[in-house]
Amino acid sequence: MSAGPGSPVVPGSAPPAGGFVRRVGLFQATAINMSQMCGIGPFVTIPLMVAAFGGPQAVTGFVAGAVLALCDGLVWAELGAAMPGSGGSYVYLRQAFQYRTGRLVPFLFVWTAMLFIPLIMSTGVVGFVQYLGYLAPGLGQTSGDLIGLGVIALVVLLLWRGIEHIARITAVMWTVMIASVLLVIVAAASDFSPHLAFTYPAHAFDLTSDHFWLGFAAGLTIGIYDYLGYNTTAYMGAEIKDPGRVLPRSILFSIVGIMAIYLLLQIGTLGVIDWHRMTHPDDIASTSVASAVLEETWGKGAADTVTVLILITAFASVFTGLLGGSRVPYDAARDRVFFRPYEKLHPKHRFPMLGLATMGVITAIGFLIGRHTDLATLIQLLTTVMVIVQALAQIVALTVLRRRQPALKRPYRMWLYPLPSIVAFAGWCVIYGYADRNSPGRHPIEWSLAWLALGCVAFLVWARLEKVWPFGVKEICEEYLTPEEPAVV
């Protein structure tokens, strides 16, 4: 059935790649995902995970995070393989929800992305300052704040001037990250104590205890935060070779690979450092656990060297994150799904000025929030912001598209559908539902809903200016269907 009156349908074949060349194969795609997944995250969240669970059973959090990432990854795999364009969630949400709400949902995705992307980057800056504290033990609160703000300003300044040879910077980040992780894993293995790693406190796995489930929800939040990035290639769909095969495999391979790395890192760390030290705020193991492992096993010199590598990893992850994140509002504004000033490029260096400036400011604010509350609260805030409009909406989008566009070519279809979707939906609901209980007094749910409500107001203002639904004609563009493959409306 075609769309109703007032909703012109513009069918067509898959959109042109917009100048992109499909040159990224399976190995490169998997490496890109893994490099985005494993930045500063595991080096700063191991103590948080241990504190959430109250013992070495914290390994459960990384396993639970991997299960959620795998189930959610299957959602990304089907959508990305079927609609391998540039934009990821932005494309999927636009296609799925245009029939009822026009451009509202993709607009809200960009609106929330402008908050949760820089908040993710701000955790990297918090981690940078934490590990810098290992090299400079006398670093005070004010000095740390100024250094963190200086790092953010430096990143924005480098990106503002226009950076060439970005691939080289990414390659350096990947090499340094892998070296850092492997050195910590090897060092831990050289002095591993099974007694430390596998001696659990009483009632550690008491499933009838509220304490266990609160810890599990907090650990699941931290775990999925550490796996974020498994969907990177979905945003690069227009540059992936044979996307129907490569894109799903890159997502699954990267999740399994990072899970193995995280488990080795977590278990190895627990086998060297008594977990009680990780929960003590005055112990260096609570803020710089990787440095503590190296100092315990190979001495202070090795610990200092690896700490420098971790600082480079943190800086590079913030650099590349803001580089890519600043393009999100630009792409949407260029497609007339966001405020037009965001499509303006620097006249000389050709980068989106307003997107970079906005995300730089939000990164700085998020950094100060993380420094003056705690990193766990910052992670709770960024995950609750992204849950409704990206995670949950995208799972719904998969089902909507199966019903609305049954003729859509799907080179990959979710295994055991709809079970992974149900598990992923439930997992994200647990993260969202327990956010306030795991952050007493911080109210991340209320903040996320307030940001979403403000986004709805912003959409109405934008829609009025652009004269689109609900103030104009609802435009329906089925980009990935041929004229012989109508949607079901």
Side-chain angles (χ1 to χ4, degrees), residues 26 59 153 184 213 264 293 371 375 381 408 484:
L26 179 58
V59 175
V184 176
W213 291 110
L264 289 173
V293 169
R371 286 279 293 171
L375 185 58
L381 178 59
L408 179 67
E484 295 76 25

Side-chain angles (χ1 to χ4, degrees), residues 15 128 195 316:
F128 181 96
H195 175 74

Side-chain angles (χ1 to χ4, degrees), residues 160 326-327 329-331 333-334 340-356:
W160 198 271
S326 62
R327 271 64 178 171
Y330 163 74
D331 288 335
R334 187 180 57 180
R340 292 193 180 188
Y342 280 93
E343 70 176 329
K344 185 177 181 180
L345 296 175
H346 190 279
K348 179 179 179 181
H349 299 299
R350 311 301 294 172
F351 66 87
M353 296 182 294
L354 187 56
L356 178 59

Side-chain angles (χ1 to χ4, degrees), residues 260-314:
I261 290 174
Y262 284 173
L263 288 178
L264 289 173
L265 190 63
Q266 171 84 72
I267 295 172
T269 300
L270 288 168
V272 174
I273 305 296
D274 188 321
W275 70 268
H276 293 90
R277 291 182 56 189
M278 300 184 201
T279 62
H280 197 289
D282 296 328
D283 196 304
I284 195 65
S286 67
T287 55
S288 308
V289 68
S291 303
V293 169
L294 266 296
E295 181 177 333
E296 191 79 16
T297 54
W298 293 351
K300 187 68 165 60
D304 289 345
T305 300
V306 171
T307 301
V308 171
L309 295 179
I310 292 173
L311 292 177
I312 295 173
T313 298

Side-chain angles (χ1 to χ4, degrees), residues 106-126:
F107 180 97
L108 290 177
F109 165 72
V110 178
W111 177 264
T112 55
M114 291 186 65
L115 183 60
F116 72 71
I117 289 176
L119 286 181
I120 293 172
M121 298 307 104
S122 65
T123 63
V125 184
V126 171

Side-chain angles (χ1 to χ4, degrees), residues 129-184:
V129 175
Q130 285 186 1
Y131 272 83
L132 185 62
Y134 179 81
L135 298 177
L139 189 67
Q141 182 75 30
T142 302
S143 299
D145 290 348
L146 293 175
I147 290 172
L149 293 175
V151 167
I152 297 169
L154 178 59
V155 168
V156 173
L157 181 64
L158 290 173
L159 292 173
W160 198 271
R161 292 182 175 184
I163 297 294
E164 297 179 353
H165 310 299
I166 295 299
R168 295 183 182 179
I169 296 175
T170 304
V172 170
M173 181 188 74
W174 166 257
T175 303
V176 171
M177 180 270 293
I178 289 295
S180 305
V181 172
L182 290 180
L183 283 172
V184 176

